[in-house]
Amino acid sequence: MLVLRSALLFVLAAVFEIGGAWLVWQGVRGDGSGGGGRGWIWIGAGVIALGAYGFVATLQPDGEFGRILAAYGGIFVAGSIVWGMVADGYRPDRWDVTGALVCLAGMALIMYAPRGH
């Protein structure tokens, strides 16, 4: 049950962090068509989402900051690719997918490997 809770918290954290970064990106750069950004409201929403990410990370059952953030890195990599696919129509190639799977495997080792304590 702790692993399921932890995994759900990682997904929620990814939505806030990746979503927040995407909102700031859209606010500053827009959709990439050269028309400029979408403005301060998008940037402000992104900053709020990024702050929420920081809070959600503290809810992890494990109390080791370094472990949580290192493990989250794998979620961030894979989640960013998925976000790009859904939000921007990004088409990952086999190396993107392979790299994301390697990151998720590393995340699982860091976070959920049995420890002797």
Side-chain angles (χ1 to χ4, degrees):
M1 193 58 144
L2 280 179
V3 171
L4 178 61
R5 177 176 181 246
S6 173
L8 291 173
L9 285 168
F10 276 128
V11 169
L12 182 61
V15 168
F16 282 128
E17 186 183 17
I18 298 165
W22 183 82
L23 286 167
V24 171
W25 179 282
Q26 293 298 313
V28 173
R29 296 186 60 161
D31 62 6
S33 65
R38 295 183 176 179
W40 286 103
I41 292 176
W42 286 67
I43 294 167
V47 169
I48 291 168
L50 288 164
Y53 151 74
F55 178 75
V56 169
T58 69
L59 301 176
Q60 282 288 341
D62 190 302
E64 297 294 333
F65 175 81
R67 181 176 297 138
I68 299 298
L69 269 287
Y72 175 70
I75 300 293
F76 181 80
V77 169
S80 295
I81 290 174
V82 171
W83 189 284
M85 291 169 58
V86 172
D88 292 327
Y90 172 69
R91 305 296 258 173
D93 64 20
R94 67 178 183 210
W95 300 112
D96 295 327
V97 172
T98 301
L101 291 173
V102 168
C103 290
L104 289 173
M107 172 272 182
L109 284 172
I110 291 168
M111 195 64 200
Y112 305 122
R115 293 188 161 74
H117 54 275

